[in-house]
Amino acid sequence: MLVVFLVSQVFDGAFTYMGVMTFGTGIEANPVIAALMAHLGHGVALMMAKLVAGTLGIGLHLRGTHGAVAVLAAFYIMAAVVPWVAILFF
């Protein structure tokens, strides 16, 4: 599940970057990420956010809370990756 979680983070980061570069920062639904983008730039903000999320996911995995990692992976796929795919490719 950790690999699925980390791959979902990569796809979310890449699709978010593509979406923001195509439609502007107004398309980003997370106000914290949007604010980071305004202050640090799109790429740096996304890399930082995904690095933190990945690190926390790895921490959960190392603590043995694999169920939480699985739930978070499913959440990211359904709430972030799938909507970005719909917006960007359909």
Side-chain angles (χ1 to χ4, degrees):
M1 266 297 96
L2 178 62
V3 172
V4 173
F5 174 77
L6 293 173
V7 169
S8 72
Q9 292 298 310
V10 170
F11 277 113
D12 179 36
F15 291 159
T16 301
Y17 184 79
M18 289 170 52
V20 168
M21 294 307 288
T22 302
F23 302 109
T25 54
I27 193 105
E28 174 56 47
N30 184 332
V32 174
I33 302 299
L36 283 172
M37 286 181 190
H39 293 291
L40 302 174
H42 303 132
V44 173
L46 287 169
M47 291 288 282
M48 285 178 51
K50 296 299 143 188
L51 181 63
V52 169
T55 302
L56 293 174
I58 291 169
L60 287 172
H61 172 74
L62 293 175
R63 290 187 50 84
T65 53
H66 305 293
V69 176
V71 168
L72 287 169
F75 174 77
Y76 268 96
I77 290 167
M78 296 309 298
V81 175
V82 170
W84 275 124
V85 168
I87 290 168
L88 293 170
F89 303 111
F90 294 103

